[in-house]
Structures are given as structure tokens and as C-alpha cells.
Amino acid sequence: MRFLTRLKSLQALEAAARHGSFVGAAAELDVTPPAVGQLVRSLEDWVGYPLFRRTRSGAERLTPVDEAREALEDIAQGLDKLEAGLRKLRGRKARSVVVVTASQALVANWLLTRLNDFAAEHPSIDVRLDVSDRVIDLAQGEADIGIRCGLGSWRCEIHIPHGRGNHRRLP
């Protein structure tokens, strides 16, 4: 029997160890630094000892203790294997889903006429529309593509996922 109830805590531990901080781990995992700290502390409570030596300053505020450092190699390999297994499970037959957010006027007057052509060229991609004037945070995964037009003062960004939950911002 496997006890994978601590999977999120293990992800937080592994990311915090690589980044040397809860802030870096939080950016990668798309959560807050206190959330990473809470996940790590719950794992520390479970194992019964601190997993990091903590300092208030320096490039690496967190340094794994010897026992954690030894376990981290297995934990990282395990997380990589889980990710590979999930990719295999999803397989090539899985349809990709792209969430597009755009205003009602833009969808009605421009986007809808182009969706049939896109669907014909890319039959393995489902497009889901969020028709709204609300400006959303693409980095938080609310949508993959946000299209706005007009005199608004929107930042122009492209978020390309890479790695485990990381996003790279391109101007």
C-alpha cells in the first residue's frame, strides 16, 4: 500500500531545496511562500525533525539537513517518474485544451469567424472560450490566451509553461 497523501508536501520540499527558499518554490508551484512553508512544516511534523537549516539572510535561506539531502534524490526521481507516468497515461490520444479569454465584442466580430478554420487545422485541440471583459491573470492559469482590444492599458505578456509548473514571461 502506498501512502501518497504527502505528495504536495514532497513537491514543496523538493522545490524549496532546489531554490533555497520558499519564495522560489512558491513561484514555481504557483502558490504563496507561506503555503510552501506550511507544506514543509507539515512534513517536518510527520517525520519528527526539521528538514532545513533556516537562516534569515544569504543566497540560500534554506539548507537541507543531511537526512533530507539524502532523501531528496529519491524524492526528485520519484516526482520525475510520476510526471512521466502521467504523460504516458494521457498519451498522444489526449486532446489538448486551450482556454481563450476575450471580450464579447471581439469574440462576436473577429474570433468566431476564425474558430472553424482553427478547428479544421488542429483537430486535436479543443478551444474553450471565456467571454468576459474582466482582465484575468494568465500566470495563475485562469486562461492560456487573453485577447483584449481598445484603449486599455494592458500589459502585453506571453506565458509559456516549462517544467513543473514554471512559467516564463516574455515581453
Side-chain angles (χ1 to χ4, degrees):
M1 179 175 202
R2 290 184 178 88
F3 294 97
L4 296 177
T5 58
R6 308 229 182 278
L7 191 55
K8 286 185 181 183
S9 294
L10 292 173
Q11 286 178 292
L13 171 72
E14 191 269 341
R18 267 188 298 105
H19 290 281
S21 73
F22 290 158
V23 173
E28 176 180 323
L29 299 172
D30 289 330
V31 297
T32 65
V36 173
Q38 185 177 5
L39 288 166
V40 170
R41 279 186 289 285
S42 75
L43 193 56
E44 289 174 328
D45 289 344
W46 185 73
V47 298
Y49 59 88
L51 297 170
F52 290 106
R53 281 190 265 336
R54 292 163 168 84
T55 61
R56 294 200 179 271
S57 62
E60 290 197 0
R61 294 180 177 203
L62 299 175
T63 305
V65 299
D66 292 339
E67 295 88 346
R69 189 176 299 113
E70 289 176 21
L72 277 164
E73 185 176 325
D74 290 335
I75 291 168
Q77 288 176 3
L79 292 171
D80 289 342
K81 290 290 248 178
L82 283 171
E83 189 173 6
L86 287 170
R87 278 194 304 270
K88 287 179 184 176
L89 184 63
R90 193 151 193 251
R92 286 184 295 242
K93 294 180 182 178
R95 295 177 64 85
S96 296
V97 177
V98 176
V99 179
V100 178
T101 178
S103 68
Q104 184 175 3
L106 189 83
V107 169
N109 295 313
W110 181 78
L111 187 58
L112 280 180
T113 60
R114 289 161 174 80
L115 283 179
N116 282 338
D117 292 339
F118 181 86
E121 287 182 42
H122 306 280
S124 66
I125 299 175
D126 284 334
V127 177
R128 304 241 168 96
L129 291 177
D130 172 15
V131 181
S132 169
D133 289 326
R134 179 177 63 95
V135 176
I136 64 167
D137 188 352
L138 296 178
Q140 294 302 316
E142 292 183 67
D144 300 302
I145 301 169
I147 306 171
R148 297 291 184 266
C149 66
L151 299 175
S153 58
W154 305 294
R155 289 183 4 192
C156 181
E157 294 181 350
I158 299 173
H159 295 269
I160 300 173
H162 67 285
R164 257 186 242 121
N166 288 337
H167 289 84
R168 186 176 32 186
R169 287 187 182 190
L170 302 174

